[in-house]
Amino acid sequence: MKCVLFYHAFTSCWNNGNAHFLRGYARELHALGHEVVVFEPVDGWSRLNAIRESGSQALQTIGQLFPGVSIRRYDASLDLDEALDGADLVIVHEWNSPDVIEKIGAKRTQGAPFTLLFHDTHHRAITAPDELAQFDLDAFDGVLAFGEVLRQIYMKLGWADRAYTWHEAADTAMYHPLPHVQRTDDLVWIGNWGDGERSAELNEFLIEPVADLGLRASVYGVRYSDVALQTIRAAGIRHGGWLPAHWAPVAFAGARATVHVPRGPYVRSLPGIPTIRVFEALACGIPLISAPWSDAESLFPEGAYLQVADGAEMKRALRAVLDDRELSAAMVATGLQTIRERHTCRHRAQQLVTIVDGIRASETSSRPLRYVGASA
């Protein structure tokens, strides 16, 4: 089938953690024999910030990493009839503008024969329902929610059997162990400081343990305030700035351990959604220690990573992982096996095809359910 995917950004991963999975499942759809066309706005904020920080050359190699995936940029003059011509499946990621979402939905309402899905990978359904309500999803055939708890929200909003749990996963063609890379750090952390959603947690589970243990550590990411930069440097941590997603496996390979510090909304309101960093780390074969979060859907077996309750436990766990080679090796083996057997982008692409086949086979597929708004 011809798959047309609308992303806020494909070539840029600047402050765009979704890029890993969005790129990965596009790769796997193509590998399964489907035609894949990705549209991204020429003026998307992720792309513009990446160019501003590192120049356009930072984005030029992305197409070479995903052979067979056609990447097309658009502006206000986009001809949707041309863009959607011959499409069998259209997926619109939730970072697209409400205007683009509405216009694509209108094509479906007017009789376009493709299956139309909305892909939600954000916590706004709980933290900012008014933002979700601005999306006109009346014409969509279904919602792909990146966690069961999010799917349940859509069900309460009237989507019934048209909402599907579709977790993120690892693009193992790119994210895998690199045993020949020399380990120069005790610990690496990849993530954006952002808007204060986890400042206290980063201090407790990352900065203070590194400082107290005297570890050699590097962090990568964007949107670090001057205060945040001063804090990590005072702890002896190197800040490496923006790390393009396809370079992350090298950073993981160069360290002996990493940590996961989930944002508050995922811990408090969206149990079962680990975010992409857990999949990345386990796929790259690095021991992972996590701050508290609830694996409510049992995505990972015991032993794939260690979970700690507070900063004191984080220090003890880091020391154990760094000192006990058998422990770290067992964690790596369990994590790799889990990813390869259950959580690759190939798994998700196959699941997606099954979802689409089910929608098409349904007697009600031509009458998509109505999104009734956040106040329902």
Side-chain angles (χ1 to χ4, degrees):
M1 61 184 173
K2 181 178 180 179
C3 308
V4 181
L5 316 175
F6 280 81
Y7 298 166
H8 165 75
F10 184 91
T11 54
S12 173
C13 62
W14 193 97
N15 198 43
N16 177 15
N18 298 129
H20 173 162
F21 180 61
L22 298 182
R23 293 167 173 173
Y25 88 77
R27 180 205 301 281
E28 294 300 335
L29 282 175
H30 172 71
L32 290 172
H34 304 288
E35 180 184 355
V36 181
V37 182
V38 176
F39 283 87
E40 65 174 5
V42 68
D43 59 351
W45 55 259
S46 177
R47 182 171 180 272
L48 293 181
N49 275 291
I51 293 172
R52 187 177 298 116
E53 182 163 329
S54 299
S56 60
Q57 67 275 7
L59 311 182
Q60 291 174 353
T61 61
I62 298 302
Q64 302 169 20
L65 298 174
F66 298 88
V69 176
S70 177
I71 306 169
R72 303 178 187 176
R73 297 190 187 94
Y74 69 88
D75 56 22
S77 66
L78 174 67
D79 185 336
L80 272 179
D81 288 329
E82 179 180 350
L84 300 173
D85 183 45
D88 300 294
L89 169 65
V90 178
I91 298 179
V92 182
H93 185 248
E94 48 91 11
W95 273 17
N96 284 279
S97 72
D99 181 61
V100 168
I101 293 171
E102 181 180 1
K103 287 180 178 178
I104 295 174
K107 295 298 180 184
R108 182 76 173 96
T109 299
Q110 294 163 9
F114 51 75
T115 299
L116 179 59
L117 300 176
F118 182 73
H119 184 197
D120 194 341
T121 60
H122 200 269
H123 54 67
R124 78 178 85 204
I126 288 179
T127 60
D130 291 343
E131 291 184 19
L132 182 65
Q134 70 180 320
F135 298 141
D136 185 358
L137 303 183
D138 289 356
F140 282 67
D141 294 290
V143 169
L144 301 169
F146 77 146
E148 174 64 16
V149 64
L150 188 57
R151 185 185 75 89
Q152 293 289 338
I153 292 172
Y154 276 96
M155 290 181 64
K156 292 177 182 177
L157 294 174
W159 283 86
D161 60 351
R162 284 292 184 268
Y164 304 89
T165 299
W166 197 48
H167 279 285
E168 295 180 309
D171 178 8
T172 51
M174 184 172 298
Y175 290 80
H176 53 77
L178 299 173
H180 301 300
V181 174
Q182 183 179 1
R183 293 180 179 177
T184 57
D185 279 326
D186 296 311
L187 183 142
V188 64
W189 186 74
I190 303 173
N192 303 325
W193 193 273
D195 48 14
E197 286 182 334
R198 54 180 168 183
S199 297
E201 292 87 349
L202 286 171
N203 276 288
E204 180 179 4
F205 292 100
L206 173 64
I207 295 170
E208 292 175 4
V210 167
D212 290 349
L213 294 174
L215 303 182
R216 182 179 177 86
S218 297
V219 303
Y220 298 91
V222 300
R223 298 176 68 199
Y224 281 68
S225 66
D226 290 340
V227 172
L229 290 173
Q230 291 171 5
T231 300
I232 65 171
R233 287 167 181 161
I237 300 172
R238 184 182 72 89
H239 179 238
W242 174 46
L243 184 73
H246 57 289
W247 294 353
V250 176
F252 282 130
R256 300 167 61 200
T258 188
V259 300
H260 175 51
V261 186
R263 296 177 185 273
Y266 293 104
V267 176
R268 295 187 296 271
S269 304
L270 293 172
I273 299 177
T275 76
I276 195 64
R277 299 304 181 192
V278 175
F279 297 111
E280 288 180 350
L282 299 187
C284 288
I286 184 172
L288 172 70
I289 306 170
S290 178
W293 76 281
S294 174
D295 184 10
E297 296 181 55
S298 300
L299 297 176
F300 307 104
E302 183 178 354
Y305 64 92
L306 299 181
Q307 181 160 301
V308 298
D310 53 35
E313 285 192 10
M314 175 61 80
K315 284 188 284 188
R316 290 195 291 270
L318 277 170
R319 191 73 276 161
V321 167
L322 294 174
D323 291 345
D324 188 335
R325 292 186 178 182
E326 290 186 3
L327 171 63
S328 61
M331 293 171 62
V332 167
T334 302
L336 284 171
Q337 180 179 5
T338 302
I339 294 296
R340 291 167 178 171
E341 292 181 353
R342 301 170 56 182
H343 301 307
T344 69
C345 287
R346 174 63 64 93
H347 289 113
R348 300 301 188 262
Q350 292 170 330
Q351 180 191 0
L352 175 62
V353 172
T354 300
I355 289 171
V356 174
D357 287 345
I359 291 174
R360 289 178 172 176
S362 171
E363 294 181 354
T364 61
S365 63
S366 62
R367 293 182 284 114
L369 296 177
R370 183 179 181 83
Y371 173 68
V372 295
S375 60

